C-alpha cells in the first residue's frame, strides 16, 4: 500500500484523470476506474493478450503496464475502435468470418490485429499467425480469426 | 413426436451461414462477463490456498491479516465448519466429503485453507499474503499406479488403497452399467477370442492430465437479500439450474428463493459448473449483508479449476491376419485427484462405452480403476472420457496396421460397422444411431489426396526427412440422455412465446457460452414458423428467464435443447393454426406458415402479426383454446446420437531439435443435419485445436511432492495461431433418426479425433528409428530424447 498519485491518460480521445495507487495496473485503471470493461484479463503472466490495448498506436498488454506508466500517453481500447455506429474493418471482419465464439479474447485479439495491420497492411497468412503470437484463443482454432484479419486487410 | 415439430417444408434458414447475432456487442467490448458485474457495496473475496499437497493443518495465523486496511472478514476452514455445505457430487458412486474450505487436512496444492473479504481486490490479496499457515507434511500421493496399492499414504478414510471406484464392463458382464464384483464376470468369450487370435496387439498408453484453459477464469458474484429472503448469484457456470439448486440448498432456501445468472462466459469446455468458491461467496454475502465477488486468477485456475483425462490404459487387441479385430480388452487406471467434483467419477466410466470406436468389434471388456491422488480433481472437459477411448482404439488400430503391414485406412475399412447394420448395438453397450463410415473415409482420403501424400512421404523419407502420416476415425457420443443415462436428468427445456406484435421470445435451458445458440436456435424456429430469424430473440443463462434446464454440456444443446424448443414451438403453432382457421373460415389442415404469413395455399392469408395479435384479444375463442401464444416443453431424447469423422495429419520432425511441425490437417466430419455451417466449422476448428494441443504441447505435470510444475501459460502451452496449419475440412451429412432436426451434435468432435491423428503421425515419422509407441504430449524434449535413443 502506498499513497495515491494523480495520473492523466488520454483514453479513446478523452482526457481522463484519477488518483491511483502506483501499483495499479493499467488494465484495472481502465476497467475499475473508467468502467471500460471491454478490455479483459485472462492470465497473470502476460501470455494471453486478452488485455491488449493500443498505447500511442502500438499494441501493449495492459496487465503489464502500471497506470502511472501510461500517464501522458494516448490509450485506445476496444470501446474506442469503432467510429460511432460504423464498425472498424477488423471488427467487421471478425463478425463476417465468425472470428469469435465466446468473445472473451476478442477485444485483445482485435486490438493486436489493429496494431499488426498498421505495421504490415498486407500480411501473408504466416505473418498474421505469427503476429498473433501474443494472443491466445481457446475457442476458434484461429482459422476464422486469420480469415477475419485477412479480410480486414483487403478492405483496408 | 408431433409431425408439425419438423421445420416447415421449404424452410430457408436451416443450413445457412448466418452471421452470429451474439457478435455485435462482443466485438465492441460490450459483453457482460462475470468480472464486469459490479453491485453497490460489493466486497471482494480472496483465498489462502495450501502450498502443500498433503498434510495436516497445525495452525492458521490470521492476526496480521485481520489488521490490514480494508479487511472486513478473515476466516479459516475451521471457522466455516457447519456454515458451509460440502462441494456437491451427482454421480451414483460413493464419494468422500469435500469441504469448500478445509478445516483439518489439505489434499492438493491450491486447496482453500482460509479466506479474506476486503473492500477491494488488491486489499483482499494483500491480506491473504499476510495469513500464515503451518502444515505438518504427509507423504504426497502422486503416482496413480502406486497409489492404488495404498502407498505412500491414504487420502480418505473409507477408500481402501485410495480406490474411488472399480468397475468392470462389457462382454461377460450382465449389468449394462458394469459390475464392481469380479466374481460376477463371465470370461469365457473374452478368453476364447484371445486364445484363437492370429495377432495380438498389446500396448500401455497414457492420456496425460490436461487443463481445460478457458481464457476467462472462473468467478462469482453473490447477493443475498435477508428480508425476502432471496439469493441472486452470478456465476461462471454451464449449468445455471443445477447451480441454483445446490446454492439455494446451501443457504437453507428453496429453489424458488434463488436465481442463478450465467452472464456471458469466456469459454467453459466442461470445466465451469459448481465449485466451493460459489458456496463461500453466497454464505458470506448472507453473513456480511453485502454482495461478495470472487474472481479466480490464472495461477489459481491452473491449480483449482478441474483438470481432465489422466488415464493409463493397458490395451489389448485380438485380430485375424486379414485385419479383422475380434476382441478388445482394456485395463484403465484413472487418476481423479484428491476429491470428487460434480461428475468426477462418472467421466472415466464414459470411456468404456466408446471402446468400439467405429468398428464392429464383437467382444469388448474393460476394467476401470479410479484412484485418489494429491492433485486437483478431474472432471468433464471437452470429450469427457471419449478422447481417452478413441485415443486407445485409434492407436491400437494403427499398431495393428503396422503389425500386419496394412494401409491404416484399409484396416479401419475392414472393421467398420456397415450402414445396413444401424441401429447398431456395440459390444461396449451403446446403440449407434446412424452412419456411413466408409463413405466418409473415402471422402477424407480423396480430400487429402492420400495416395499422393503417401508417395510424397516416401520421397521425403528417402531424402532423410522424418515425415509421418497419421489417421484417426472418431466416434462422438452426443445428446446424452434419456434420464437413465445422465445422473442429473437427460432432458432439456424450452419455451416459445409469440408476442402480440408477432415477434418471438424463446428461452432455452441450454445456457450457451460461445456456441451461438442465439443464432442457430433462431434459425430453427424461423423455419418452423416461416418467419425471419431477426424477429426471434433467444434468452438463456438466467434461471428467472429460462424456467428449467440442464445446460450446455456434452454436445447436446442443439439436439436436445433445439428439439425442446421445436416441441414448444409446435404447441404454439397448433394454437396459431386454430386461430387462423377460425379467422379465415378454413380447415386447420389447410393452414400453412410461410414467408411471414399464415393461411391457405392459393387462398386467404393473414400476416403472422395479425394472427398473433388476435390470439391475445380474440373476439371468439376456438373451442377448448385459451387466449395467448406461450408454451413450453421438456424433451427427453430416446437415445444418444453418434457423430463421427476421419482426420489425417502430416507432420515433420526436426532431427536436431525434436520439434514437430504439423504440416497438414485434413478431415471430414459428419454431425448429421447442419443448422449453421459457419458455427459448425467454428466448433470443429476449435475442437481440433484442443485435440492438437494435448498431442503436442499440453500436459499438466506434478513433481514427486505434488507441486504443479505447469502452473501458467508459460509452462502449459495451449496452441498459438502459428502452431496450427490451415485445417482442410469437408462434411458428409447422415441425419440422426432420433430427433426431428436430424442433428447429432459436434462440440467435442475435433478434440476427440485430433489427438490420435497427430500422435499416430509422429509415431509414423519416428518409426524408422524403431519407435513403436510414444505417449503425448510430444513436446520437443521428449521427441529429441526418442531420436537420440533411437539413433544410439
Amino acid at each position: 500500500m502506498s499513497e495515491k498519485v494523480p495520473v492523466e491518460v488520454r483514453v479513446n480521445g478523452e482526457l481522463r484523470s484519477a488518483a491511483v495507487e502506483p501499483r495499479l495496473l493499467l488494465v484495472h485503471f481502465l476497467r475499475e476506474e473508467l468502467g471500460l470493461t471491454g478490455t479483459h484479463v485472462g492470465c497473470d503472466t502476460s501470455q494471453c493478450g486478452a488485455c491488449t490495448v493500443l498505447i500511442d498506436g502500438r499494441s501493449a498488454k495492459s496487465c503489464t503496464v502500471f497506470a502511472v506508466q501510461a500517464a501522458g500517453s494516448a490509450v485506445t481500447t476496444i470501446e474506442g475502435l469503432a467510429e460511432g455506429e460504423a464498425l472498424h474493418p477488423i471488427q467487421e471482419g471478425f463478425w463476417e468470418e465468425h472470428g469469435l465464439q465466446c468473445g472473451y479474447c476478442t477485444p485483445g485479439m482485435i486490438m493486436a490485429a489493429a496494431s499488426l495491420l498498421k505495421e504490415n497492411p498486407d500480411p501473408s497468412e504466416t505473418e498474421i499467425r505469427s503476429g498473433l503470437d501474443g494472443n491466445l484463443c481457446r475457442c476458434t482454432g484461429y482459422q476464422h480469426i486469420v480469415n477475419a484479419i485477412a479480410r480486414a486487410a483487403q478492405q483496408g | 413426436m408431433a409431425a408439425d415439430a419438423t421445420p416447415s417444408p421449404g424452410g430457408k434458414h436451416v443450413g445457412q451461414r448466418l452471421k452470429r447475432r451474439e457478435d455485435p456487442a462482443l466485438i465492441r467490448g460490450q459483453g457482460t462477463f462475470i468480472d464486469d458485474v459490479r453491485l453497490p457495496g460489493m466486497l471482494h473475496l480472496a483465498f489462502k490456498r495450501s502450498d502443500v499437497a498433503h498434510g495436516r493443518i497445525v495452525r492458521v495465523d490470521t492476526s496480521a491479516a485481520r489488521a490490514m486496511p480494508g479487511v472486513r472478514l478473515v476466516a479459516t476452514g475451521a471457522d466455516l465448519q457447519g456454515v458451509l455445505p460440502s462441494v456437491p457430487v451427482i454421480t451414483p458412486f460413493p464419494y468422500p466429503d469435500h469441504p469448500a474450505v478445509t478445516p483439518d487436512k489439505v489434499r492438493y496444492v491450491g486447496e482453500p485453507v482460509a479466506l479474506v473479504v476486503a473492500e477491494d481486490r488488491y486489499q483482499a490479496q494483500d491480506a491473504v499474503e499476510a495469513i500464515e499457515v503451518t502444515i505438518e507434511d504427509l507423504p504426497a500421493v502422486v503416482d496413480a499406479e502406486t497409489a492404488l496399492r495404498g502407498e505412500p499414504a491414504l487420502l480418505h478414510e473409507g477408500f481402501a488403497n485410495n480406490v474411488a471406484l472399480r468397475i468392470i464392463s462389457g462382454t461377460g458382464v450382465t449389468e449394462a452399467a458394469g459390475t464392481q464384483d469380479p466374481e460376477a464376470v463371465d470370461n469365457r468369450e473374452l478368453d476364447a477370442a484371445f486364445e484363437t487370435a492370429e495377432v495380438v496387439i498389446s500396448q500401455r498408453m497414457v492420456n496425460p492430465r490436461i487443463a481445460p484453459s478457458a481464457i476467462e477464469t472462473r468467478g462469482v458474484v453473490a447477493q443475498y437479500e435477508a428480508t425476502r429472503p432471496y439469493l441472486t448469484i452470478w456465476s461462471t457456470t454451464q449449468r445455471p439450474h443445477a447451480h441454483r439448486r445446490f446454492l439455494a440448498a446451501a443457504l437453507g432456501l428453496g429453489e424458488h428463493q434463488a436465481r442463478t445468472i450465467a452472464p456471458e462466459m469466456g469459454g467453459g469446455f466442461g470445466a465451469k459448473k459448481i465449485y466451493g468458491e460459489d458456496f463461500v461467496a453466497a454464505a458470506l454475502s448472507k453473513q456480511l449483508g453485502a454482495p461478495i465477488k470472487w474472481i479466480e486468477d490464472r495461477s489459481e485456475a491452473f491449480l483449482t479449476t478441474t483438470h481432465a483425462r489422466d488415464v493409463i490404459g493397458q490395451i489389448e487387441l485380438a485380430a485375424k491376419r486379414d485385419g479383422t479385430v475380434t476382441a478388445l480388452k482394456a485395463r484403465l487406471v484413472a487418476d481423479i485427484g484428491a476429491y470428487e467434483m460434480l461428475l468426477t467419477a462418472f467421466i472415466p466410466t464414459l470411456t468404456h462405452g466408446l471402446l468400439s470406436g467405429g468398428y464392429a468389434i464383437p467382444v469388448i471388456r474393460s476394467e476401470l480403476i479410479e484412484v485418489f491422488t494429491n492433485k486437483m480433481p478431474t472432471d468433464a472437459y471437452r470429450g469427457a472420457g471419449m478422447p481417452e477411448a478413441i485415443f486407445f482404439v485409434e492407436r491400437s488400430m494403427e499398431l495393428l496396421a503396422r503389425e500386419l503391414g496394412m494401409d491404416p485406412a484399409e484396416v479401419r475399412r475392414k472393421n467398420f460397422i456397415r450402414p445396413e447394420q444401424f441401429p447398431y448395438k456395440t459390444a461396449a453397450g451403446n446403440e449407434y444411431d446412424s452412419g456411413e463410415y466408409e463413405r466418409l473415409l473415402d471422402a477424407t482420403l480423396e480430400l487429402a489426396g492420400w495416395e499422393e501424400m503417401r508417395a510424397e512421404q516416401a520421397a521425403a523419407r528417402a531424402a532423410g526427412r522424418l515425415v509421418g502420416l497419421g489417421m484417426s476415425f472418431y466416434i462422438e457420443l452426443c445428446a446424452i440422455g434419456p434420464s437413465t443415462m445422465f445422473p442429473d436428468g437427460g432432458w432439456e427445456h424450452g419455451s416459445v412465446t409469440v408476442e402480440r406484435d408477432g415477434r418471438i421470445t424463446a428461452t432455452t435451458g441450454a445456457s450457451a457460452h460461445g456456441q451461438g445458440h442465439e443464432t442457430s436456435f433462431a434459425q430453427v424456429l424461423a423455419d418452423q414458423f416461416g418467419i425471419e430469424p431477426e424477429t426471434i430473440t433467444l434468452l438463456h443463462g438466467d434461471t428467472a428467464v429460462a424456467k428449467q434446464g440442464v445446460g450446455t454440456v456434452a454436445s447436446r444443446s442443439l439436439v436436445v435443447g433445439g428439439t425442446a424448443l421445436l416441441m414448444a414451438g409446435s404447441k404454439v403453432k397448433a394454437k396459431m393454426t386454430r386461430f387462423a382457421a377460425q379467422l379465415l373460415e378454413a380447415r386447420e389442415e389447410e393452414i400453412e406458415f410461410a414467408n411471414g404469413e399464415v393461411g391457405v395455399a392459393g387462398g386467404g392469408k393473414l400476416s403472422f402479426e395479425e394472427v398473433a395479435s388476435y390470439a391475445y384479444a380474440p373476439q371468439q375463442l376456438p373451442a377448448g383454446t385459451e387466449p395467448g401464444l406461450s408454451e413450453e416443453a421438456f424433451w427427453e431424447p430416446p437415445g444418444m446420437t453418434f457423430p463421427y469423422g476421419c482426420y489425417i495429419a502430416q507432420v515433420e520432425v526436426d532431427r536436431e531439435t525434436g520439434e514437430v511441425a504439423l504440416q497438414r490437417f485434413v478431415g471430414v466430419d459428419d454431425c448429421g443435419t447442419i443448422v449453421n455451417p459457419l458455427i459448425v466449422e467454428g466448433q470443429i476448428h476449435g475442437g481440433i485445436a484442443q485435440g492438437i494441443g494435448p498431442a503436442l504441447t499440453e500436459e499438466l505435470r506434478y513433481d514427486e511432492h505434488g507441486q504443479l510444475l505447469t502452473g501458467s501459460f508459460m509452462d502449459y502451452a495451449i496452441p498459438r495461431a502459428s502452431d496450427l496449419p490451415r485445417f482442410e475440412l469437408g462434411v458428409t451429412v447422415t441425419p440422426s433418426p432420433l430427433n426431428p432436426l436430424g442433428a447429432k451434435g459436434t462440440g467435442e468432435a475435433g478434440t476427440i479425433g485430433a489427438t490420435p491423428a497427430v500422435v499416430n503421425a509422429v509415431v509414423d515419422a519416428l518409426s524408422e528409428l524403431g519407435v513403436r509407441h510414444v505417449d503425448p504430449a510430444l513436446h520437443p524434449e521428449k521427441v529429441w530424447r526418442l531420436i537420440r535413443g533411437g539413433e544410439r
Side-chain angles (χ1 to χ4, degrees):
Chain A
M1 291 296 290
S2 50
E3 287 304 304
K4 292 190 173 181
V5 295
V7 59
E8 200 171 75
V9 187
R10 187 169 289 280
V11 179
N12 299 331
E14 204 178 315
L15 206 56
R16 308 293 295 262
S17 53
V20 303
E21 282 189 61
R23 65 174 177 170
L24 184 74
L25 300 173
L26 177 60
V27 66
H28 291 146
F29 176 73
L30 295 170
R31 290 180 51 82
E32 310 293 333
E33 297 285 334
L34 306 186
L36 295 170
T37 56
T39 303
H40 298 150
V41 178
C43 73
D44 40 29
T45 52
S46 293
Q47 309 292 303
C48 81
C51 64
T52 305
V53 298
L54 302 183
I55 300 179
D56 296 329
R58 296 195 59 186
S59 65
K61 291 179 176 172
S62 61
C63 75
T64 317
V65 178
F66 293 114
V68 291
Q69 289 177 294
S73 300
V75 172
T76 309
T77 71
I78 188 70
E79 290 93 342
L81 202 60
E83 305 251 351
E85 286 298 298
L87 291 171
H88 186 280
I90 298 172
Q91 292 171 312
E92 196 76 52
F94 271 70
W95 192 12
E96 291 290 333
E97 299 290 340
H98 188 25
L100 63 151
Q101 289 178 30
C102 77
Y104 195 77
C105 76
T106 309
M109 205 55 93
I110 288 174
M111 298 315 284
S115 185
L116 167 68
L117 292 188
K118 201 169 169 191
E119 289 164 29
N120 181 358
D122 185 25
S124 67
E125 174 158 348
T126 307
E127 287 169 336
I128 294 174
R129 285 180 184 268
S130 66
L132 296 178
D133 261 357
N135 292 73
L136 295 174
C137 170
R138 193 58 159 168
C139 292
T140 64
Y142 302 101
Q143 191 149 315
H144 284 162
I145 292 178
V146 171
N147 292 353
I149 296 169
R151 185 182 195 279
Q154 279 171 7
Q155 310 270 311
Chain B
M1 60 193 66
D4 64 351
T6 310
S8 299
K12 55 188 181 185
H13 299 291
V14 167
Q16 295 301 311
R17 301 173 71 86
L18 200 67
K19 279 194 300 184
R20 292 203 325 171
R21 306 172 66 198
E22 288 86 345
D23 293 359
L26 295 169
I27 55 180
R28 290 173 184 267
Q30 291 168 357
T32 302
F33 294 90
I34 190 73
D35 199 12
D36 306 337
V37 176
R38 55 201 60 201
L39 303 174
M42 189 167 78
L43 302 174
H44 297 264
L45 170 65
F47 289 91
K48 177 71 180 178
R49 297 177 181 279
S50 175
D51 52 15
V52 170
H54 198 194
R56 277 193 196 85
I57 298 171
V58 178
R59 185 160 176 268
V60 183
D61 183 350
T62 58
S63 52
R66 287 176 201 278
M68 303 276 286
V71 170
R72 300 282 285 270
L73 177 82
V74 182
T76 65
D79 298 335
L80 295 165
Q81 264 189 307
V83 177
L84 286 176
S86 299
V87 179
V89 175
I90 57 170
T91 72
F93 312 117
Y95 54 89
D97 183 51
H98 181 188
V101 183
T102 184
D104 43 20
K105 244 180 134 182
V106 295
R107 293 185 176 87
Y108 65 96
V109 172
E111 181 164 12
V113 173
L115 57 87
V116 171
V117 177
E119 283 158 21
D120 79 30
R121 206 182 295 181
Y122 282 48
Q123 290 171 333
Q125 200 56 48
D126 285 342
V128 160
E129 302 299 327
I131 297 174
E132 286 187 30
V133 181
T134 311
I135 294 174
E136 177 191 307
D137 282 16
L138 293 168
V141 180
V142 289
D143 178 76
E145 289 169 310
T146 313
L148 59 83
R149 296 195 298 267
E151 298 167 11
L154 287 177
L155 265 78
H156 297 285
E157 278 178 31
F159 291 87
N161 295 324
N162 295 312
V163 172
L165 178 69
R166 181 178 181 207
I167 196 160
I168 303 167
S169 311
T171 308
V173 177
T174 46
E175 299 95 319
T179 179
Q180 305 197 28
D181 177 13
E183 302 298 317
V185 178
D186 179 352
N187 287 316
R188 286 172 296 180
E189 219 178 328
L190 183 73
D191 292 346
F194 277 90
E195 276 159 23
T196 57
E198 293 168 9
V199 189
V200 171
I201 299 296
S202 181
Q203 183 64 52
R204 182 183 192 272
M205 306 181 201
V206 181
N207 259 261
R209 179 171 280 251
I210 52 180
S213 304
I215 302 298
E216 180 202 38
T217 54
R218 291 184 291 128
V220 58
V221 178
Q223 181 179 38
Y224 181 81
E225 296 162 83
T227 46
R228 294 174 71 183
Y230 199 85
L231 172 70
T232 305
I233 186 160
W234 290 257
S235 177
T236 47
T237 181
Q238 296 171 235
R239 302 199 53 188
H241 293 84
H243 187 274
R244 174 184 63 163
R245 173 156 51 99
F246 286 111
L247 268 292
L251 296 197
L253 302 174
E255 287 187 55
H256 65 306
Q257 293 166 306
R259 173 185 183 188
T260 292
I261 301 169
E264 270 150 322
M265 211 158 84
F269 312 117
K272 285 179 175 167
K273 293 196 294 274
I274 303 171
Y275 285 82
E277 288 90 346
D278 294 39
F279 293 103
V280 174
L284 294 181
S285 177
K286 183 176 180 180
Q287 184 177 336
L288 296 172
I292 302 285
K293 182 182 209 174
W294 171 72
I295 301 294
E296 182 186 54
D297 66 31
R298 179 59 59 186
S299 300
E300 286 181 299
F302 274 109
L303 289 169
T304 69
T305 290
T306 48
H307 294 168
R309 323 285 193 243
D310 208 346
V311 178
I312 301 166
Q314 179 65 43
I315 312 298
E316 286 167 54
L317 217 56
K320 297 182 191 168
R321 293 220 69 86
D322 69 357
T324 307
V325 178
T326 53
L328 183 149
K329 185 164 79 175
R331 182 177 187 270
L332 309 173
V333 176
D335 178 343
I336 63 169
Y339 296 98
E340 295 190 25
M341 302 292 288
L342 209 59
L343 285 168
T344 297
F346 177 68
I347 301 303
T349 68
L350 291 170
T351 298
H352 171 80
L354 272 195
L355 285 175
S356 203
Y359 313 113
I361 302 175
V363 175
I364 296 174
R365 165 79 63 73
S366 78
E367 178 186 15
L368 166 67
I369 305 170
E370 299 188 19
V371 190
F372 291 114
T373 63
N374 291 119
K375 301 174 190 169
M376 178 62 201
T378 55
D379 202 314
Y381 166 50
R382 207 166 192 169
M386 299 184 272
E388 295 90 318
I390 297 300
F391 180 77
F392 295 140
V393 172
E394 290 303 290
R395 278 296 301 134
S396 300
M397 293 305 276
E398 204 77 7
L399 286 164
L400 179 63
R402 193 165 297 281
E403 176 75 23
L404 296 174
M406 285 178 75
D407 182 326
E410 298 315 306
V411 170
R412 288 173 170 90
R413 189 190 303 276
K414 183 97 196 162
N415 289 286
F416 276 152
I417 300 161
R418 297 184 310 278
E420 66 273 16
Q421 290 178 287
F422 290 92
Y424 180 82
K425 179 89 177 263
T426 72
N430 276 317
E431 187 168 287
Y432 291 2
D433 56 340
S434 64
E436 290 188 47
Y437 298 167
E438 194 166 5
R439 177 164 78 102
L440 183 135
L441 173 69
D442 286 333
T444 315
L445 297 176
E446 191 185 331
L447 184 64
W450 181 240
E451 291 307 320
E452 295 85 340
M453 277 180 109
R454 303 252 289 177
E456 284 166 21
Q457 180 195 26
R461 281 182 165 177
R465 290 161 55 200
L466 296 175
V467 173
L469 301 179
M471 175 180 288
S472 77
F473 189 91
Y474 76 83
I475 303 291
E476 180 186 6
L477 176 160
C478 287
I480 195 161
S483 291
T484 48
M485 290 301 303
F486 199 45
D488 202 32
W491 45 268
E492 193 49 88
H493 178 267
S495 79
V496 172
T497 300
V498 176
E499 311 283 5
R500 289 174 90 123
D501 65 0
R503 310 304 206 271
I504 288 182
T505 304
T507 70
T508 177
S511 179
H513 40 282
Q515 294 86 353
H517 296 0
E518 290 167 37
T519 307
S520 57
F521 284 26
Q523 288 175 266
V524 169
L525 281 180
D527 277 1
Q528 185 180 31
F529 285 97
I531 57 176
E532 294 300 311
E534 294 74 32
T535 65
I536 300 166
T537 293
L538 180 81
L539 301 173
H540 58 83
D542 180 346
T543 59
V545 170
K547 287 192 242 174
Q548 290 294 337
V550 171
T552 290
V553 295
S555 302
R556 67 199 299 282
S557 291
L558 180 66
V559 176
V560 191
T563 304
L565 212 52
L566 274 177
M567 292 302 167
S570 75
K571 293 182 191 176
V572 174
K573 201 171 165 181
K575 278 184 83 173
M576 285 187 86
T577 302
R578 285 199 287 279
F579 284 117
Q582 184 194 42
L583 288 170
L584 293 167
E585 296 178 353
R587 285 181 295 122
E588 288 181 23
E589 304 81 66
E590 296 176 307
I591 300 295
E592 291 179 3
F593 291 66
N595 305 316
E597 292 179 323
V598 184
V600 180
K605 288 191 175 61
L606 298 163
S607 76
F608 197 76
E609 186 183 342
E610 281 175 291
V611 180
S613 160
Y614 180 74
Y616 287 92
Q619 298 309 304
Q620 186 194 342
L621 273 175
T625 303
E626 297 169 17
L629 297 171
S630 186
E631 300 287 341
E632 62 184 295
F634 289 83
W635 192 68
E636 172 147 304
M640 292 174 287
T641 55
F642 292 85
Y644 55 95
C646 182
Y647 294 148
I648 293 172
Q650 177 183 312
V651 301
E652 179 159 3
V653 176
D654 186 319
R655 265 181 210 276
E656 301 302 318
T657 64
E659 207 166 348
V660 176
L662 179 57
Q663 295 173 322
R664 286 186 71 192
F665 193 96
V666 187
V668 177
D669 298 277
D670 192 320
C671 61
T673 304
I674 294 174
V675 170
N676 186 326
L678 201 57
I679 289 175
V680 169
E681 281 167 24
Q683 287 290 320
I684 297 283
H685 290 174
I688 289 171
Q690 286 187 26
I692 292 171
L696 295 180
T697 56
E698 287 183 42
E699 185 174 359
L700 286 170
R701 285 209 194 156
Y702 284 86
D703 73 5
E704 68 273 27
H705 307 295
Q707 292 293 338
L708 183 65
L709 300 176
T710 50
S712 79
F713 282 134
M714 285 187 284
D715 316 296
Y716 186 86
I718 71 171
R720 293 167 189 277
S722 58
D723 297 328
L724 302 173
R726 176 159 286 268
F727 308 133
E728 305 165 58
L729 300 175
V731 296
T732 63
V733 176
T734 312
S736 174
L738 298 183
N739 64 76
L741 282 167
K744 289 190 172 179
T746 195
E748 298 156 292
T751 304
I752 298 168
T755 309
V758 174
V759 173
N760 282 341
V762 177
V763 174
D764 186 44
L766 299 175
S767 60
E768 65 172 74
L769 305 175
V771 173
R772 180 176 180 274
H773 175 78
V774 55
D775 290 313
L778 301 169
H779 47 79
E781 184 197 339
K782 186 186 272 184
V783 175
W784 180 81
R785 286 184 190 283
L786 273 172
I787 295 170
R788 301 275 293 180
E791 284 179 346
R792 262 202 302 274

